[in-house]
Amino acid sequence: MAKIYFNSRDELIAVDFERVGVIQANGNYTRVIYMNKHEVTLSMGITKVSESLQKHQLPGARFIRIGRSCIINHTFMERIDVARQLIVLTDGEGHEIRLKASKPLLKSYKGSVVNVKG
């Protein structure tokens, strides 16, 4: 279990990034969405969260930024549907997250995945 601890003025929040599917910007806050749909809100911007992820180099989780306001755990990526402007993440245990994204962004992401896989 790879947890990163985020400290704010009033609380300490432990986030298990191996189970996180999506990280979304929400103004000056960041929503962390687990694959089971449990959500945690961090009182910092997505850039600081992204920097923490890079700093800790977590095993078993590959986070990819797909736009200014969204980071996904590529480990859970099941499908990219450019026509429907959709990314589907699944953990194999019945949990699924569907995200809308622009066609150019999806085409770029799909191209990078195809280049990595083969």
Side-chain angles (χ1 to χ4, degrees):
M1 193 178 303
K3 290 186 179 181
I4 297 177
Y5 296 88
F6 294 93
N7 190 22
S8 70
R9 185 177 63 108
D10 296 325
E11 60 187 347
L12 178 70
I13 299 174
V15 178
D16 180 1
F17 280 99
E18 290 178 351
R19 297 179 20 223
V20 169
V22 181
I23 302 166
Q24 291 182 326
N26 187 12
N28 292 332
Y29 297 91
T30 301
R31 289 176 49 212
V32 177
I33 305 167
Y34 286 90
M35 286 305 299
N36 67 2
K37 305 269 174 68
H38 173 72
E39 291 188 25
V40 174
T41 300
L42 302 175
S43 59
M44 63 183 61
I46 196 168
T47 300
K48 288 194 178 199
V49 174
S50 178
E51 289 169 357
S52 290
L53 286 171
Q54 290 173 0
K55 178 180 165 187
H56 289 87
Q57 301 271 324
L58 300 172
R62 270 188 35 207
F63 288 92
I64 299 174
R65 193 155 187 167
I66 57 164
R68 291 184 57 207
S69 63
C70 189
I71 299 171
I72 66 166
N73 186 339
H74 179 76
T75 307
F76 296 120
M77 196 280 296
E78 179 180 89
R79 181 172 27 136
I80 300 169
D81 189 334
V82 176
R84 292 186 180 141
Q85 296 181 269
L86 185 68
I87 297 175
V88 178
L89 306 176
T90 185
D91 65 358
E93 297 178 10
H95 302 114
E96 182 178 275
I97 297 175
R98 294 172 169 259
L99 299 169
K100 289 285 193 180
S102 70
K103 285 184 180 183
L105 191 138
L106 289 175
K107 284 180 183 178
S108 172
Y109 178 47
K110 181 181 169 199
S112 69
V113 170
V114 169
N115 289 337
V116 168
K117 296 283 182 180

